[in-house]
Amino acid sequence: MAVVAIKSFGGIAPKIPPRYLKDNQAQTALNCPVFAGSIQPIQDVGSSLLTLEKSGTIKTIYRYGQDNVSDTQHWFHWPAEVNVCRSQIAGDTSEWTFFTGDGAPKATHSGIALSGTNYPAASRPLGLPSPPTAASAVVTGAVDDTETVETRVYTYTFVNKEAGREIESAPAPASTSVDVRTTQTVTLSNFSAVPGSGYIVTHRRIYRSTSGVFLLVDEIPVSQGSFPDNVDPDDLAEEIPSLYWAEPPAALQGLINLPNGMMAGFVGRDLYFCEPYRPHAWPENYIQTIDYPIVGLGRMDTTLAVLTTGNPYFVQGSHPSVTAVVKSDLEQACVSKESIVSFGGGVIYAAPDGLMLLSPGGSKIITDQYFSFKQWQAYFKPETIHAYQQDNQYIAFFDNGTTQGGFIYDITSRQFILHDMYATAGFQDLQRDKLFLTFADKSLKVWQEGSAKSYIWRSKKFTMPHDMSFACAQLEAEAYPMTMKFYADGTLVHTQTVQSRDPFRLPAKRGRDWEVQVEGSIEVFSIAMAHSMSELANA
């Protein structure tokens, strides 16, 4: 006689016909993480912590004040897809923070970011432009033909000293050369004016060439309009560090922190790197150009993953000047920048065929066994997916034009379930070990901090050799009541409110294809149905 017993539960796999699913797999698994084997209810989000202030749909949130233990202070947010990085500057006490996606690349710190509301309240451009015009160099003093003549060329840079951080620009064009004797002085003037558009300049640094190398002469306040140079050659200081630096391009996006003080971003097919520990400096000789337009960036260990409209790429190197670019042999484009999630050992993103996992151990479509191409496209409209990592799970949200919802892929158990919540943005806070989410009403809430949600788990289609009926069933759960529904040949034939773990009788209904559905908000450990109580006892 036939007995159906399920003691360990799995997620969905719509690609497989219902009758060919494994005995523990589901046709429906909504709001029920099955990652530990039992059916557990997903927790709703917690109560609202605050309401974000900016207008429009909030697409990015970031908790500023990473050294503070707080759920409510201070939430940067934008109605745009913004990438945010905390500084890797030694001794930074002002929490310098950099971001792209909100116009040109920007920087902010505690002294200005929290000066108003709608955080960040204020910001600066991330870099400094080089002075556009050369300084004038005029030689003064008596001429002694017995003295040695030195030919000099001058340049200067803009400097901003703010909130414990020094930013230096690339140099101005070189001055015309001047011949100088020991007793003479060179007076520099006609410096470029300070740039507008939010740039801050506090000083200028003066350099002069010696044997083809620019060495530091002095640093002067930006308010000083001229500089008399009578510094002895032996007293010149360090070589100019910013000769090949450049401010980041205005269209830079996808900002990401990397080891060794590096940051990366992209424009079109060009991959940019900053000078290590100099987030304002983006030398052009560090640019790497990829075959396809770049969609977004991810990180796994010390490797940068570059996701494109074609093949993904791996970039490795301890310094931007020695990076190596390796093209993946898998032709899986990234269709959503916001779907990119970096885990310790890999990067997951939405591709046209499913979820793509890039890892040193091998790259693959990890949802290939669950969804066909058409199902993946129809269910989720993958270009709308945005996702986050929490507890080794890929937690995603989608809007397919008809349904707004989400799904969870558990990396450990490799199970896939759906959930019925839809957030517009999220932020994984490592210090708090929480996933914060914001919604259409701009409320800020914490993932899985609310009460248990109602779930639905529906079994595979158990196909019998011929029409038959089941006489009894049993459900073991953490508590009761629970609801079970029984289907024969696709028709609901019985609904049972289960009050205890004791077996219960089923009405005499016949069918060849049997399915069972469990509904509730309580953990379930096993379900079974059989032709007799004795068979049920041995299930």
Side-chain angles (χ1 to χ4, degrees):
M1 302 296 286
V3 175
V4 172
I6 306 173
K7 298 182 179 181
S8 178
F9 299 88
I12 61 172
K15 182 177 181 179
I16 303 172
R19 70 175 59 198
Y20 295 139
L21 291 169
K22 296 178 181 178
D23 285 355
N24 70 331
Q25 286 184 303
Q27 294 183 71
T28 302
L30 178 66
N31 293 338
C32 54
V34 291
F35 312 133
S38 62
I39 302 176
Q40 300 181 33
I42 199 171
Q43 305 299 118
D44 204 347
V45 292
S47 57
S48 179
L49 300 172
L50 53 88
T51 300
L52 301 174
E53 299 174 286
K54 290 183 179 176
S55 60
T57 300
I58 303 302
K59 295 183 178 180
T60 305
I61 58 175
Y62 173 85
R63 190 176 75 81
Y64 186 77
Q66 292 286 298
D67 296 333
N68 300 323
V69 179
S70 173
D71 287 351
T72 58
Q73 297 179 343
H74 304 275
W75 284 98
F76 288 6
H77 57 287
W78 295 269
E81 295 178 358
V82 174
N83 293 96
V84 189
C85 292
R86 184 174 180 174
S87 83
Q88 301 182 70
I89 301 170
D92 177 16
T93 59
S94 298
E95 196 170 346
W96 277 93
T97 300
F98 315 114
F99 53 96
T100 57
D102 182 32
K106 294 181 174 63
T108 193
H109 59 82
S110 57
I112 60 174
L114 310 179
S115 60
T117 58
N118 290 346
Y119 300 141
S123 61
R124 306 272 188 258
L126 177 54
L128 268 181
S130 59
T133 58
S136 299
V138 177
V139 181
T140 58
V143 175
D144 184 343
D145 292 331
T146 65
E147 293 180 330
T148 302
V149 176
E150 177 188 5
T151 300
R152 297 178 185 174
V153 175
Y154 288 86
T155 189
Y156 64 99
T157 62
F158 288 141
V159 176
N160 178 25
K161 295 185 178 184
E162 180 183 8
R165 174 178 172 232
E166 290 190 4
I167 306 169
E168 184 171 12
S169 74
S175 70
T176 55
S177 61
V178 290
D179 293 332
V180 187
R181 290 171 172 78
T182 305
T183 57
Q184 292 183 303
T185 297
V186 178
T187 300
L188 301 175
S189 61
N190 295 325
F191 300 115
S192 295
V194 172
S197 303
Y199 291 103
I200 303 295
V201 177
T202 58
H203 296 79
R204 292 186 180 92
R205 285 181 183 154
I206 311 298
Y207 296 89
R208 83 180 188 218
S209 65
T210 298
S211 301
V213 176
F214 283 109
L215 300 179
L216 178 65
V217 181
D218 204 349
E219 180 180 275
I220 62 175
V222 72
S223 59
Q224 184 174 327
S226 62
F227 173 77
D229 175 22
N230 51 18
V231 176
D232 188 272
D234 292 337
D235 293 332
L236 296 177
E238 70 270 10
E239 182 179 347
I240 185 171
S242 62
L243 188 62
Y244 299 106
W245 293 357
E247 64 174 331
L252 189 75
Q253 56 181 308
L255 199 66
I256 189 171
N257 268 340
L258 299 172
N260 301 321
M262 296 187 293
M263 291 197 305
F266 65 90
V267 178
R269 296 190 299 121
D270 295 331
L271 181 65
Y272 286 77
F273 295 93
C274 77
E275 187 72 24
Y277 303 104
R278 305 281 188 178
H280 64 284
W282 297 73
E284 292 185 0
N285 56 333
Y286 292 164
I287 297 173
Q288 295 275 9
T289 301
I290 308 299
D291 291 352
Y292 300 95
I294 300 171
V295 177
L297 307 175
R299 182 184 60 251
M300 46 187 170
D301 299 323
T302 60
T303 300
L304 175 67
V306 182
L307 296 321
T308 76
T309 59
N311 296 64
Y313 295 77
F314 302 96
V315 181
Q316 296 177 317
S318 59
H319 190 278
S321 63
V322 292
T323 54
V325 180
V326 179
K327 184 177 182 179
S328 171
D329 59 352
L330 289 174
E331 297 177 344
Q332 287 295 330
C334 178
V335 297
S336 168
K337 181 168 75 74
E338 298 306 298
S339 73
I340 301 170
V341 175
S342 299
F343 293 81
V347 173
I348 295 178
Y349 66 92
D353 292 341
L355 283 185
M356 178 74 180
L357 169 66
L358 298 178
S359 73
S363 301
K364 59 183 178 180
I365 294 289
I366 54 179
T367 55
D368 185 55
Q369 59 184 314
Y370 306 127
F371 299 93
S372 67
F373 171 81
K374 289 184 177 180
Q375 288 170 333
W376 175 253
Q377 291 285 329
Y379 277 45
F380 304 116
K381 197 175 182 182
E383 61 269 26
T384 71
I385 292 175
H386 59 100
Y388 314 91
Q389 192 264 124
Q390 181 71 8
D391 297 330
N392 215 33
Q393 295 171 355
Y394 183 91
I395 300 168
F397 302 88
F398 66 89
D399 181 355
N400 63 19
T402 302
T403 301
Q404 290 183 326
F407 63 83
I408 303 173
Y409 177 78
D410 183 75
I411 294 174
T412 303
S413 68
R414 300 180 182 179
Q415 300 286 354
F416 193 106
I417 70 159
L418 301 175
H419 65 78
D420 62 5
M421 292 173 277
Y422 183 76
T424 64
F427 174 74
Q428 185 200 20
D429 191 326
L430 295 177
Q431 185 192 61
R432 308 293 290 133
D433 191 23
K434 295 180 179 180
L435 174 60
F436 292 87
L437 300 169
T438 189
F439 298 83
D441 62 358
K442 299 184 177 60
S443 61
L444 184 75
K445 301 177 181 180
V446 178
W447 174 256
Q448 298 242 69
E449 283 210 345
S451 57
K453 288 178 68 67
S454 296
Y455 63 73
I456 299 174
W457 188 92
R458 185 165 179 165
S459 74
K460 67 169 286 183
K461 185 177 291 186
F462 292 92
T463 300
M464 306 302 160
H466 50 78
D467 281 1
M468 59 178 61
S469 63
F470 288 89
C472 52
Q474 185 178 28
L475 180 146
E476 291 200 43
E478 183 67 32
Y480 301 90
M482 291 290 298
T483 298
M484 290 185 72
K485 293 182 178 180
F486 299 85
Y487 295 82
D489 296 334
T491 301
L492 177 64
V493 296
H494 181 63
T495 299
Q496 178 77 26
T497 300
V498 183
Q499 300 290 355
S500 71
R501 66 188 304 173
D502 296 334
F504 54 89
R505 296 288 181 180
L506 294 175
K509 302 289 185 179
R510 299 183 66 84
R512 188 175 180 187
D513 295 326
W514 284 85
E515 304 157 70
V516 60
Q517 182 166 300
V518 182
E519 300 176 4
S521 57
I522 300 167
E523 185 175 11
V524 170
F525 305 108
S526 67
I527 57 177
M529 55 183 183
H531 287 277
S532 67
M533 289 294 184
S534 60
E535 288 180 341
L536 196 62
N538 295 322

